[in-house]
Amino acid sequence: MLTNEASLMYRVYPGGEVDLTSQDPSDKGVWKNSSKSDYEAMMQEKLDELKSLQNMLFAEGKHKVLIVVQAMDAGGKDGCARNVFSSMDPQGVHVKAFKAPHEEELDHDFLWRVHKAVLSRGMISVFNRSHYEDLIAVRVKKLCPEKVWRNRYRHIVDFEKMLSDEGTKIVKIFLNISKEEQRERLQARLDDPDKLWKFEPGGLADRARWDDFMVAYNELISETSYDHAPWHVVPSDRKWYRNLVVAQIVINALKELKMEFPEAEWDPKDIVVE
Ligand code: ATP
Ligand code: MG
């Protein structure tokens, strides 16, 4: 039923001007006639496909894959990790969450902690937040001078180009939720004792700077989307739709690698397991 339309329609092409407010975060795009009840069967299909592609990635041991996920608070980064990436063999995938840098990290350059987290051949690294915080959080919260974060555009573009040239497939995903959806999700954390631990009063300061974050994200996504490291802006108010689209984007990226199982150097027919 599904082609790679989903990943194509949300992909940002180099030189494209991004305006996050022009997308409807509750959009259902190619699944416009589907509802949440159709979701489970469709999702299972995607997860099975992902699992077998990841199995091949691991078996072939040729490529590295890096998936960057950025979003506002409560945007669904953890949900993606739980619902999409968890389907894969945990030995081949690692989700790395980048929190505010601690002292040792701040004593190094901003890419120090990031580069170490890019895994080796056959593996998929998922970044839950990433080096893009060193442009976004730092800019909006005025944590360092503009001269410093401006230069990071170039550093990040060069870093990703280096990773790509050295055999890392990069996919970047921005989960686009509306301010109202964020309000509802944050309120739900306050109302539910099982979710309360996720609520951080400090996060409200970021919410108050919503418009500044959008301006910064628009610029960031427009300036750092390349064929070798494209951004995708995924409507994310509907969690089920977001999961499907993210799974599809990753499937397409893995398919582009044109992987094959390694050929045995011997004929299995010649071997008998006694
Ligand atoms: P959760 O879903 O658990 O809330 P989270 O990713 O929001 O996950 P938090 O510990 O709540 O995790 O938030 C991380 C905070 O750290 C964010 O406010 C983010 O902007 C900030 N942060 C991450 N990396 C950097 C960085 N390099 N410089 C400054 N702030 C950063
Ligand atoms: Mg948080």
Side-chain angles (χ1 to χ4, degrees):
M1 167 185 4
L2 254 188
T3 61
N4 60 7
E5 261 180 87
S7 81
L8 296 181
M9 63 192 284
Y10 300 127
R11 183 170 170 149
V12 177
Y13 290 91
E17 275 281 303
V18 174
D19 175 10
L20 291 171
T21 58
S22 70
Q23 183 183 73
D24 173 7
S26 65
D27 182 31
K28 290 197 281 179
V30 286
W31 285 281
K32 55 180 167 294
N33 298 319
S34 308
S35 64
K36 195 177 172 184
S37 57
D38 301 320
Y39 163 70
E40 272 175 31
M42 290 196 286
M43 192 65 195
Q44 196 50 54
E45 222 175 86
K46 301 286 141 218
L47 294 182
D48 291 346
E49 198 174 356
L50 255 186
K51 206 170 174 177
S52 61
L53 283 163
Q54 185 238 340
N55 186 28
M56 201 180 279
L57 179 86
F58 192 77
E60 194 186 44
K62 190 167 153 192
H63 308 277
K64 304 149 227 169
V65 175
L66 170 61
I67 302 166
V68 171
V69 185
Q70 285 283 151
M72 295 294 284
D73 248 339
K77 296 173 276 88
D78 294 340
C80 270
R82 262 196 321 275
N83 292 291
V84 182
F85 306 119
S86 64
S87 69
M88 298 187 262
D89 184 340
Q91 293 192 91
V93 184
H94 185 249
V95 181
K96 168 78 183 164
F98 288 97
K99 306 287 180 184
H102 55 62
E103 208 181 323
E104 191 190 11
E105 290 169 340
L106 285 171
D107 284 341
H108 288 80
D109 65 85
F110 76 100
L111 289 173
W112 180 72
R113 67 174 184 164
V114 176
H115 198 180
K116 293 197 291 197
V118 180
L119 301 176
S120 53
R121 291 178 202 280
M123 305 289 288
I124 300 180
S125 325
V126 179
F127 284 3
N128 176 344
R129 300 193 191 265
S130 65
H131 40 300
Y132 285 99
E133 292 293 330
D134 294 282
L135 262 177
I136 284 287
V138 151
R139 170 180 180 171
V140 176
K141 298 184 214 176
K142 300 192 173 31
L143 300 177
C144 72
E146 174 162 355
K147 188 168 163 288
V148 174
W149 62 255
R150 278 257 166 235
N151 277 333
R152 291 182 178 171
Y153 274 112
R154 193 165 34 87
H155 300 146
I156 286 177
V157 169
D158 289 347
F159 170 62
E160 290 181 355
K161 183 73 171 78
M162 181 280 289
L163 291 179
S164 164
D165 288 349
E166 296 281 324
T168 300
K169 177 86 178 161
I170 305 173
V171 183
K172 299 180 292 198
I173 296 170
F174 178 75
L175 305 175
N176 191 21
I177 57 161
S178 61
K179 197 175 176 188
E180 176 54 21
E181 179 68 19
Q182 189 197 49
R183 192 192 64 72
E184 284 175 26
R185 292 186 190 180
L186 293 179
Q187 187 62 48
R189 289 181 184 180
L190 279 175
D191 296 343
D192 181 346
D194 292 350
K195 288 186 181 164
L196 193 57
W197 64 274
K198 287 205 98 184
F199 186 84
E200 299 137 306
L204 294 179
D206 284 0
R207 177 170 166 80
R209 299 183 184 112
W210 183 277
D211 292 344
D212 295 342
F213 270 103
M214 291 303 113
V215 168
Y217 265 119
N218 281 340
E219 186 180 298
L220 175 151
I221 296 170
S222 309
E223 302 245 333
T224 60
S225 205
Y226 287 88
D227 288 334
H228 63 271
W231 275 106
H232 301 76
V233 178
V234 176
S236 298
D237 276 6
R238 297 171 203 262
K239 294 175 183 171
W240 65 270
Y241 182 65
R242 169 206 76 202
N243 291 343
L244 279 170
V245 174
V246 169
Q248 187 67 47
I249 289 169
V250 177
I251 286 170
N252 290 343
L254 291 174
K255 278 187 173 163
E256 280 172 20
L257 295 174
K258 309 224 176 307
M259 298 178 284
E260 284 172 357
F261 282 114
E263 274 195 31
E265 282 157 14
W266 26 260
D267 187 344
K269 288 194 209 79
D270 294 342
I271 300 178
V272 177
V273 182
E274 303 277 357

